[in-house]
Each structure stands twice: as C-alpha cells, then as structure tokens.
Amino acid sequence: MPEDIILERGRPASDAELARRADWIRLQTIDLIAQAGLGHYSSTFSSAEIVATLYYHVLRLRPDEPRWANRDRFLLGKGHVATGLWPVLADLGFYDKTLLKQFGKVGSPLNDHPNMKLAPGIDFSSGSLGHNLSVGTGMALAGRLSGRDYRTFVLTGDGELQEGQVWEAAMAASHYKLGNLVAIVDANGFSGSGPTSLAMNIEPLGKRFEAFGWRVQEINGHDIATLKKTFDELPDAATSEQPTAVIARTRKGHGVEFMEKQPQAWHLGLLNPEQYADVVAEITARMELTGAGAGAEGSAQ
C-alpha cells in the first residue's frame, strides 16, 4: 500500500470480490493457526464476511498512520478472532506481511488476542469479554465532543452480551445520542461453553437493543450484498442521534462443512494434516467458483 493513502468509505468492491476475500481470511486463519499450534477457527469463520466487508469496503482508514485522528474506529470485542484480522491489516499496509510469521510466538505483537500497545491498527485491546462496547461508546462520545465525523464500529459475539457492562454501554450510547456508534453482533448462537441460550438467554436481541433506544437491523451476516447495503445506508455519522445495532445472524464454522456440523468442537483446536488438506480444498474450490462467476466484476487478490 503506497504511503499517504487514505482508504475512503464506500470503496468499490463487488459482492464476488468480498466473498472471495472472506474465504481468503479463512485460508489465512488456518495457516496462522497451523503455525502457532492453536487457535480459534469457528468463531473467526462466522465473522469472516463481516470483517471482509468492513475492511475492504466500509471503514475510512490510513494504514501508514494507524492513529490518524479522522479514521473510523474498529473494536474487536470478541478478541479471540484476531487471527482473522492480522492478515487483513498486513494486506492493507499497517505492517509488513513478514510479521505474520511471528504470530503466536513469544514476544510477537500478533497474538491470539489483540493488544493495542503492540500491534498497529488495533484501536483497543480485548481478551476479557464485555469491555469494548463501553470503550467504543467513549470513543464515539469523544468524536462528538471534538467535532469529528468518524464512526466507531464494535464487533461483539452474542455470548459477550451476557456481560452486564455491555448493557450499561448500550444505555449510555442512546442517552448521549451517539449516532456515530455501530454495534455489530456476530450472533452465531454459541459462546465458549456451548449454545448461548443455555448459558444465559439473550433473545430477542433486536427488541432488547430497541428497548435501550437503539436503531436495529437484523440481517444475514454471511450475505455480502446485505452487509454492504446495511453499512452503506447508515445514518450520517455527524448528525444522527441514535446508535445502530446490526444483529448479524451467522453460523459458527461457516464455510467449512464439518465445522458447521460441529461448531463447538472447533471453537479452539488444531487441524490434523488430513483435515487441513480437506479444508484448504473446500475453500479453494469455492473461491475458484466465485472468481469464475465474477466475470466483469473482477476478483479479490
């Protein structure tokens, strides 16, 4: 990525390009996990389309200046899916791609959870769940007070919403009329210990956010066209007075058939060589079909 380049909001990207980019994130993820010897597959895969759409179409960024004051903020509440974010940040030019070879090693800035003090492009650290919507609310309020029109996006897991601090943040965001704040819930139905509804039911999610004064859109989190439309049609960041909650219904392990059938078994683990080969073959075949169908639209790199 050339220096002094601002990645503007609404950058051109076809549905086919973003679908292939999401699968590229999945391939990169399994390679990084193989390198480190451990990692989170199924949670990363459920959010791959969301991350691809945000970083290759939606967010306003300046990779050579990660702390640029006018950038859109992105906070990864479900920090254990950072494995899928590292290759994206490298691809966009936040750091050299060779740094990916250090993922998971002692002393590396790139680990299983993001650390804002070590890794360029990380707006807030995560690991302990429930903090990032509160921090995102603070960032959105700071934007209002400083007169800047950046947006703050917070990606949470649905299991994360069992934390009380999340709902304190939701209450504060509507009270302070933070229309520049967007919470995206990767609602894949599972938390670390099993189905979210068994640990502590959080449904109906949409009505709960609405009760806290939020604008709510409930969508298919794997449908690229719907994701693009949802983000493209967000209210104006500078003038809107109602925060937005995007409830993205997803499948844990999406994109790999055997992981979709046993999502909890692949929350944390390591593919054996035969499974690794099968997953690569499945994803690569789909990427080839998507590329062939892209036609004049082109395809992701």
Side-chain angles (χ1 to χ4, degrees):
M1 182 69 62
E3 293 184 0
D4 300 324
I5 292 295
I6 296 175
L7 303 178
E8 295 288 358
R9 293 174 183 158
R11 300 188 299 282
S14 71
D15 295 354
E17 287 175 329
L18 293 177
R20 292 188 75 239
R21 185 59 72 179
D23 274 334
W24 173 81
I25 290 172
R26 293 183 175 96
L27 288 177
Q28 293 287 309
T29 296
I30 66 170
D31 280 345
L32 289 179
I33 292 176
Q35 169 185 301
L38 195 67
H40 296 81
Y41 295 105
S42 54
S43 298
T44 303
F45 290 179
S46 68
S47 58
E49 281 79 13
I50 298 169
V51 171
T53 304
L54 286 173
Y55 273 90
Y56 291 98
H57 176 65
V58 175
L59 297 176
R60 183 173 68 197
L61 302 166
R62 189 169 182 171
D64 71 311
E65 190 180 344
R67 296 296 177 188
W68 179 48
N70 290 321
R71 73 190 185 282
D72 287 332
R73 275 65 168 166
F74 176 72
L75 288 78
L76 190 58
K78 48 180 295 180
H80 52 286
V81 308
T83 312
L85 181 58
W86 299 133
V88 172
L89 294 178
D91 184 58
L92 293 178
F94 282 88
Y95 43 79
D96 194 278
K97 295 177 183 179
T98 58
L99 190 59
L100 295 173
K101 297 183 182 299
Q102 300 300 314
F103 170 72
K105 295 182 179 180
V106 176
S108 172
L110 310 185
N111 288 295
D112 206 30
H113 291 266
N115 186 329
M116 63 183 291
K117 294 184 178 180
L118 299 178
I122 299 300
D123 286 314
F124 193 72
S125 307
S126 52
S128 297
L129 298 180
H131 297 171
N132 276 247
L133 189 60
S134 293
V135 176
T137 297
M139 289 181 177
L141 181 57
R144 281 283 193 262
L145 294 174
S146 63
R148 299 186 184 278
D149 71 342
Y150 64 77
R151 284 198 179 98
T152 300
F153 295 82
V154 182
L155 178 61
T156 78
D158 48 359
E160 187 176 354
L161 301 189
Q162 295 166 347
E163 301 285 348
Q165 184 173 330
V166 171
W167 299 105
E168 293 182 53
M171 180 168 53
S174 60
H175 174 79
Y176 290 110
K177 301 180 180 180
L178 302 180
N180 55 348
L181 177 63
V182 182
I184 308 162
V185 182
D186 179 12
N188 62 30
F190 285 86
S191 52
S193 58
T196 307
S197 59
L198 295 182
M200 180 64 68
N201 183 48
I202 55 170
E203 298 290 353
L205 272 180
K207 289 184 178 179
R208 292 186 187 222
F209 271 100
E210 286 176 350
F212 278 88
W214 288 56
R215 171 182 175 267
V216 175
Q217 289 187 273
E218 192 157 344
I219 65 171
N220 178 346
H222 299 304
D223 187 312
I224 295 291
T226 300
L227 285 165
K228 287 171 63 177
K229 185 175 188 294
T230 299
F231 294 132
D232 287 346
E233 295 180 355
L234 287 170
D236 183 73
T239 60
S240 174
E241 296 186 346
Q242 190 176 27
T244 294
V246 177
I247 313 300
R249 298 293 177 180
T250 61
R251 292 191 59 157
K252 195 165 182 173
H254 182 76
V256 176
E257 185 177 4
F258 71 78
M259 289 187 184
E260 289 188 26
K261 292 178 179 178
Q262 294 183 300
Q264 204 57 27
W266 294 100
H267 176 76
L268 184 68
L270 184 64
L271 295 166
N272 64 38
E274 182 178 352
Q275 291 168 329
Y276 175 93
D278 288 344
V279 170
V280 170
E282 180 180 349
I283 297 174
T284 302
R286 184 170 59 246
M287 291 177 72
E288 290 174 351
L289 287 173
T290 306
E297 291 182 319
S299 59
Q301 295 179 354

